[in-house]
């Protein structure tokens, strides 16, 4: 041993920080971590019924698997007292040892309907009494159901050998689960949480905005997804999927309108709907007109439903991106193969970066391949490849096996496309990174896209000019229909207000900008007038006006200056009678580039501008995209997984809705939380289990 220590040397007992560790500081507590080689053999049959517990302060204990009583298990005490207990325990409990001796080695026999007296959790301190822990079978089943829901796992996972092995190792007392049992659990959870969401929508202080989108399965089935967007009592933007239904062909406007209308009726939110945002499809106008006509008959719309119809902005942006990529799709393919060639060999990869450093190129960013289903990855691949352009050209000259060389003309096309798409990428990143994409963000962002398209059309001719003109025509159609709603939402942002909107319109339309500004201001004042009429209490400014008038009329001094008092009173009354919207617009704007949480701003202003803040809450809720921020870069429709596509329509709806509700409640950690409730397991949907 001395020779061995000498070979290791003094540095062996040093940690990473350079401090010397004393060999005596590492102490193994043999009373807790016993070596299996030193443990006496427990070959007596009493150990079929008894189980040894972790030693505590050198005192060994054993627990009876039948009645859970604990006895000493010292090696000097023998096993006679344990054998006597077994005989008494069997007589007292009427247990059948022959049938259950094997099972007793793994499972406790003394159990009630729902709880077992065993250890819960992952690791338990050896000094903690075992009796203080309870195993809640219902809670574990609920956790397994939530795992299947959130992670989109198939039901058969509970019957897989690996899953059952893990469960048996972690909790041997837990009974086996079948896929039918877990389906019943999920149905029960869905029914309970559906009522929670119903209560959440009913207690919503403001109006609710809806989005409608289409999902597809691998069988090309179409599903309509209706999502509710609202701001809760704490001024947090929330969203919940309310309906996810299979639409039989034909997929026409009337079918979509019926699905959305039925959703509003079932959730009892017809009177609270403020807007409906649809996908950017040709049939959207017909759907919006049908719904608007139905709700107009019941007089549910404020200000004649001007804000009712909205269309998805992300769709039009993705359409422009796809058109831009299609122009250089062959070049992108060659670039992708060239990057693969470099990355497939560690030697080539190392030499490539050596070449880049030799050419004084920035090697902080590394070459990356794209995922064709997400266009931002293709954009990033192009961006990095342009940084290594000279390295690729040098590689093509030195390596004869590199056959994916891009010509100078092709590199120029890639560069032009990258510059064109940069603005759209930056705009999409705003939506992607913002977890609460309120409607005030979109006017400035989409104005940038509008300006970029106009500059490209007016600029010198290139290979993209024809495509840009086509995309500009489609974008102008979108902008002409929805810039009014976007500008009104921007005015309610304290950084923008009217002056910023006027500036943007002037850049686009020159002298004709004033008509757009006037339309936005008049629309906002008209909507505010409706909110004032529906308010339960009169405005504070109006009360001040009445008091001022009364004070001026009570004075009756005929000293020759009565005209002055009338003049002064009229001027003061005009100032006091300013509405909440007037006062808000008169306030100086915040810095244009400042970071402001607009919902927090209106939370603080809710006491000073009560009616205006209610209006701002509803306008800012309007979703300008039917696509979740996490999927802002996805190309094509959202697709249901293969495992879920084979399920019945109602079960798919339960899974999709529950996944959305659980993730949303986890983010907010408040409203709509998945709290455990004690309910009878027999509670189920009125539709019956067979429908799922």
């Amino acid at each position: 041993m001395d020779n061995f220590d000498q070979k290791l040397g003094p540095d062996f007992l040093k940690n990473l920080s350079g401090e010397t560790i004393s060999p005596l500081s590492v102490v193994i507590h043999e009373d807790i971590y016993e070596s299996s080689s030193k443990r006496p053999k427990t070959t007596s049959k009493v150990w079929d019924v008894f189980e040894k517990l972790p030693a505590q302060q050198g005192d060994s204990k054993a627990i009876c698997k039948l009645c859970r009583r604990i006895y000493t298990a010292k090696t000097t005490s023998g096993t006679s007292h344990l054998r006597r207990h077994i005989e008494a325990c069997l007589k007292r409990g009427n247990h059948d040892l022959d049938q259950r001796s094997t099972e007793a080695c793994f499972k406790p026999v003394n159990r009630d309907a729902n709880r077992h007296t065993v250890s819960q959790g992952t690791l338990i301190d050896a000094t903690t009494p075992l009796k203080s822990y309870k195993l809640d079978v219902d809670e574990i089943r609920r956790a397994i159901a939530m795992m299947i829901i959130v992670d989109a796992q198939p039901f058969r996972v509970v019957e897989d050998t690996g899953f059952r092995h893990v469960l048996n190792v972690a909790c041997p007392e837990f009974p086996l689960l079948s896929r039918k049992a877990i389906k019943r659990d999920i149905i029960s959870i869905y029914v309970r949480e559906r009522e929670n969401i119903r209560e959440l929508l009913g207690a919503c202080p403001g109006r609710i905005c809806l989005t409608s989108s289409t999902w597809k399965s691998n069988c090309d089935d179409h599903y309509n997804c209706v999502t509710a967007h609202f701001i809760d009592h704490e001024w947090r933007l929330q969203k919940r999927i309310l309906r996810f239904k299979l639409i039989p062909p034909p997929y026409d406007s009337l079918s979509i309108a019926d699905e959305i209308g039925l959703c509003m009726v079932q959730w009892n939110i017809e009177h609270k709907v403020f807007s409906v945002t649809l996908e950017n499809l040709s049939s959207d106008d017909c759907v919006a007109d049908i719904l608007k006509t139905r709700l107009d008959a019941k007089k549910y719309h404020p200000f004649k439903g001007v804000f009712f119809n909205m269309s998805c902005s992300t769709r039009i942006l993705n359409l422009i991106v796809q058109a831009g990529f299609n122009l250089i799709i062959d070049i992108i393919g060659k670039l992708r193969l060239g990057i693969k060639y470099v990355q497939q060999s560690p030697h080539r990869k190392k030499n490539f970066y050596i070449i880049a450093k030799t050419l004084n190129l920035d090697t902080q960013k590394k070459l990356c391949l794209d995922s064709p289903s997400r266009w931002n990855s293709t954009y990033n691949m192009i961006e990095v490849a342009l940084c290594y352009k000279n390295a690729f050209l040098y590689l093509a000259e030195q390596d004869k096996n590199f056959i994916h060389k891009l010509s100078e003309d092709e590199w120029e096309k890639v560069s032009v496309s990258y510059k064109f798409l940069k603005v759209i990428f930056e705009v999409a990143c705003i939506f992607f990174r913002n977890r609460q994409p309120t409607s005030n963000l979109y006017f400035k962002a989409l104005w940038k896209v509008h300006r970029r398209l106009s500059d490209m059309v007016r600029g010198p001719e290139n290979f993209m000019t024809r495509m840009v003109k086509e995309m500009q025509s489609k974008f102008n159609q979108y902008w002409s229909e929805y810039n009014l709603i976007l500008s009104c939402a921007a005015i309610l942002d304290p950084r923008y207000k009217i002056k910023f909107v006027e500036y943007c319109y002037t850049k686009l339309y020159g002298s004709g900008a004033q008509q757009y500004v006037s339309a936005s201001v008049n629309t906002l004042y008209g909507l505010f007038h409706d909110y004032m009429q529906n308010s339960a209490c009169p405005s504070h400014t109006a009360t001040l006006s009445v008091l001022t008038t009364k004070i001026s009329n009570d004075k009756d001094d005929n000293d020759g200056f009565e005209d002055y008092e009338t003049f002064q009173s009229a001027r003061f009354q005009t100032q006091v009678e300013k509405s909440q919207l007037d006062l808000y617009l008169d306030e100086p704007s915040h810095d244009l580039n400042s970071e402001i949480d607009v919902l927090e701003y209106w939370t603080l202003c809710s006491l000073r501008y009560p009616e205006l803040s209610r209006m701002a809450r509803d306008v800012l809720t309007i979703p300008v995209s039917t696509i979740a921020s996490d999927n802002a870069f996805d190309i094509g429709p959202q697709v249901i997984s293969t495992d879920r596509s084979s399920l019945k329509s109602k079960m798919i709806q339960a899974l999709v809705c529950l996944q959305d509700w659980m993730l949303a409640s986890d983010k907010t950690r408040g409203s709509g939380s998945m709290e455990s409730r004690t309910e009878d397991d027999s509670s189920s949907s009125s539709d019956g289990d067979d429908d799922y």
Side-chain angles (χ1 to χ4, degrees):
M1 291 296 296
D2 295 338
N3 294 334
F4 182 73
D5 293 338
Q6 291 176 3
K7 290 180 180 179
L8 291 177
D11 295 334
F12 176 73
L13 297 174
K14 288 186 177 181
N15 59 9
L16 294 177
S17 62
E19 298 177 358
T20 302
I21 301 176
S22 173
L24 298 178
S25 63
V26 182
V27 180
I28 300 177
H29 298 279
E30 295 182 357
D31 57 340
I32 298 178
Y33 301 98
E34 296 181 351
S35 174
S36 59
S37 61
K38 296 181 180 181
R39 186 176 302 165
K41 295 182 179 180
T42 55
T43 56
S44 176
K45 291 185 178 180
V46 299
W47 300 113
D48 293 339
V49 182
F50 275 87
E51 180 182 1
K52 277 201 170 185
L53 298 177
Q56 300 182 17
Q57 299 179 356
D59 189 11
S60 299
K61 299 287 186 181
I63 184 171
C64 176
K65 298 177 182 178
L66 301 179
C67 66
R68 313 305 293 173
R69 289 194 178 185
I70 299 176
Y71 290 84
T72 182
K74 293 182 179 179
T75 55
T76 58
S77 301
T79 58
S80 300
H81 63 298
L82 303 179
R83 188 177 296 107
R84 289 193 297 270
H85 168 75
I86 293 174
E87 295 175 359
C89 186
L90 290 174
K91 291 179 181 180
R92 182 169 53 251
N94 196 24
H95 299 290
D96 188 359
L97 182 61
D98 294 335
Q99 295 181 4
R100 308 194 61 172
S101 58
T102 304
E103 182 183 0
C105 296
F106 303 97
K107 299 182 181 179
V109 176
N110 184 22
R111 64 179 75 178
D112 54 34
N114 294 320
R115 296 183 181 271
H116 302 280
T117 312
V118 294
S119 59
Q120 182 185 16
T122 54
L123 292 176
I124 299 177
D125 189 3
T127 61
T128 305
L130 191 64
K131 293 182 179 179
S132 62
Y133 289 91
K134 299 286 185 180
L135 172 65
D136 195 332
V137 174
D138 293 338
E139 192 64 26
I140 294 179
R141 290 182 62 160
R142 179 182 175 85
I144 294 174
M146 292 177 66
M147 178 200 72
I148 292 175
I149 294 167
V150 175
D151 295 337
Q153 296 287 341
F155 294 131
R156 66 175 181 272
V157 70
V158 298
E159 297 178 352
D160 289 346
T161 304
F163 178 83
R164 288 187 171 181
H165 174 71
V166 171
L167 198 59
N168 184 59
V169 171
C171 184
E173 301 82 7
F174 189 78
L176 295 179
L177 272 178
S178 65
R179 66 180 72 187
K180 289 185 178 180
I182 203 67
K183 286 172 73 173
R184 288 194 297 268
D185 290 347
I186 291 175
I187 295 170
S188 180
I189 294 173
Y190 172 69
V191 172
R192 290 197 300 268
E193 293 305 320
R194 184 175 60 186
E195 295 306 314
N196 292 342
I197 301 299
R198 194 184 302 276
E199 294 175 4
L200 180 64
L201 295 177
C204 174
R207 288 186 171 265
I208 298 172
C209 299
L210 301 179
T211 59
S212 173
S213 59
T214 301
W215 292 44
K216 290 185 178 181
S217 68
N218 57 350
C219 303
D220 204 31
D221 292 329
H222 287 60
Y223 291 82
N224 178 248
C225 179
V226 180
T227 307
H229 302 254
F230 57 95
I231 295 176
D232 61 15
H233 288 279
E234 299 181 8
W235 284 83
R236 294 177 303 188
L237 186 61
Q238 304 275 4
K239 75 176 187 69
R240 299 291 190 276
I241 294 179
L242 302 184
R243 188 175 178 85
F244 194 89
K245 283 293 185 180
L246 176 67
I247 304 176
Y251 313 114
D252 54 5
S253 303
L254 184 60
S255 300
I256 302 296
D258 288 341
E259 286 294 327
I260 300 174
L262 185 59
C263 176
M264 290 189 289
V265 172
Q266 289 180 341
W267 288 89
N268 192 27
I269 57 174
E270 274 188 306
H271 61 290
K272 303 187 74 171
V273 172
F274 186 69
S275 71
V276 176
T277 303
L278 304 168
E279 294 177 302
N280 195 25
L281 303 175
S282 57
S283 60
D284 283 356
D285 292 337
C286 298
V287 174
D289 292 340
I290 294 172
L291 293 173
K292 189 172 182 295
T293 302
R294 294 176 182 176
L295 295 180
D296 281 343
K298 300 179 181 180
K299 298 181 179 180
Y300 286 150
H301 283 150
F303 195 55
K304 303 177 183 179
V306 173
F307 293 82
F308 181 73
N309 182 21
M310 192 66 201
S311 187
C312 179
S313 62
T314 308
R315 298 286 185 191
I316 190 68
L317 295 181
N318 289 347
L319 189 65
I320 296 173
V321 171
Q322 284 182 279
F325 282 154
N326 287 337
L327 291 177
I328 57 172
I329 188 169
D330 294 335
I331 303 176
I332 293 176
K334 289 177 63 177
L335 186 61
R336 188 182 294 118
L337 292 174
I339 295 174
K340 281 184 180 180
Y341 177 81
V342 173
Q343 291 185 336
Q344 282 176 348
S345 169
H347 180 70
R348 284 198 299 264
K349 188 175 182 180
K350 181 180 179 180
N351 289 340
F352 181 84
Y353 288 115
I354 292 175
I355 293 172
K357 289 182 180 180
T358 305
L359 297 174
N360 296 324
L361 301 179
D362 185 8
T363 58
Q364 293 295 324
K365 292 183 178 181
K366 303 300 180 182
L367 292 176
C368 58
L369 288 171
D370 65 332
S371 173
S373 61
R374 293 180 66 83
W375 66 263
N376 63 316
S377 64
T378 306
Y379 175 87
N380 291 329
M381 182 184 72
I382 292 175
E383 181 183 35
V384 176
L386 285 171
C387 297
Y388 290 100
K389 172 186 173 181
N390 293 334
F392 277 110
L393 294 175
Y394 186 88
L395 179 65
E397 295 176 358
Q398 301 297 323
D399 190 348
K400 297 179 180 180
N401 295 324
F402 185 70
I403 59 175
H404 310 293
K405 177 184 176 181
L406 270 65
S407 63
E408 284 291 345
D409 182 61
E410 289 175 328
W411 279 112
E412 180 64 24
K413 288 183 177 180
V414 171
S415 178
V416 172
S417 300
Y418 166 75
K419 293 177 182 178
F420 168 70
L421 296 174
K422 185 176 182 180
V423 173
I424 301 177
F425 175 77
E426 292 173 350
V427 168
C429 283
I430 295 175
F431 306 152
F432 177 76
R433 294 167 183 167
N434 198 309
R435 297 304 173 187
Q436 290 191 330
T438 46
S439 56
N440 60 296
L441 300 173
Y442 289 83
F443 180 81
K444 179 181 178 181
L446 295 180
W447 175 83
K448 289 182 178 179
V449 178
H450 194 299
R451 185 83 183 276
R452 182 59 177 163
L453 290 171
S454 299
D455 292 343
M456 286 288 292
V457 170
R458 291 194 295 263
E461 288 279 341
N462 56 46
F463 75 102
M464 297 187 69
T465 302
R466 181 178 177 182
M467 180 277 297
V468 172
K469 288 182 178 179
E470 294 177 357
M471 292 298 104
Q472 185 190 37
S473 176
K474 294 182 178 180
F475 186 86
N476 287 346
Q477 182 180 357
Y478 178 90
W479 178 263
S480 63
E481 293 182 8
Y482 303 111
N483 74 86
L484 177 63
I485 299 176
L486 299 175
S487 60
C488 289
I491 293 174
L492 295 175
D493 190 318
R495 294 167 294 187
Y496 304 150
K497 297 189 177 181
I498 295 178
K499 281 298 180 182
F500 178 78
V501 172
E502 183 178 1
Y503 167 83
C504 292
Y505 279 137
T506 302
K507 288 292 184 179
L508 292 178
Y509 306 115
S511 59
Q514 192 57 42
Q515 61 174 335
Y516 293 93
V517 178
S518 300
S520 301
V521 174
N522 294 335
T523 300
L524 209 56
Y525 271 94
L527 181 64
F528 176 71
H529 178 71
D530 280 7
Y531 275 80
M532 288 296 299
Q533 285 186 332
N534 296 329
S535 177
C537 57
S539 173
H540 177 66
T541 55
T543 304
L544 287 178
S545 173
V546 174
L547 291 175
T548 304
T549 306
K550 183 177 180 180
I551 292 174
S552 62
N553 291 338
D554 287 344
K555 293 184 178 182
D556 191 19
D557 295 332
N558 296 323
D559 55 357
F561 293 99
E562 61 274 6
D563 293 341
Y564 172 74
E565 290 186 358
T566 303
F567 172 76
Q568 185 185 34
S569 175
R571 292 193 61 184
F572 181 70
Q573 182 176 349
T574 302
Q575 294 178 358
V576 173
E577 283 183 344
K578 283 187 176 182
S579 67
Q580 298 172 23
L581 183 56
D582 292 328
L583 295 176
Y584 163 74
L585 295 176
D586 288 345
E587 291 180 354
S589 301
H590 291 238
D591 183 70
L592 183 64
N593 297 318
S594 60
E595 295 290 335
I596 293 179
D597 186 345
V598 69
L599 295 182
E600 183 180 357
Y601 171 84
W602 283 108
T603 305
L604 301 175
C605 293
S606 58
L607 294 178
R608 186 171 36 160
Y609 306 136
E611 288 79 22
L612 182 61
S613 64
R614 289 197 304 112
M615 184 188 78
R617 177 181 56 203
D618 295 340
V619 173
L620 294 174
T621 307
I622 299 175
V624 191
S625 175
T626 61
I627 302 174
S629 58
D630 295 339
N631 303 321
F633 297 105
D634 287 357
I635 296 177
Q638 299 185 77
V639 180
I640 305 172
S641 64
T642 304
D643 290 320
R644 292 189 172 180
S645 298
S646 61
L647 300 174
K648 294 184 179 180
S649 176
K650 288 190 176 182
M651 178 55 77
I652 295 177
Q653 175 175 252
L655 290 170
V656 172
C657 291
L658 278 174
Q659 184 185 48
D660 176 76
W661 299 346
M662 289 178 179
L663 294 176
S665 61
D666 182 63
K667 291 178 182 178
T668 58
R669 298 183 183 275
S671 57
S673 62
M674 303 294 292
E675 296 177 354
S676 177
R677 297 190 178 186
T678 57
E679 285 193 20
D680 189 358
D681 290 340
S682 61
S683 63
S684 61
S685 173
S686 58
D687 298 323
D689 292 352
D690 293 337
D691 292 333
Y692 290 80

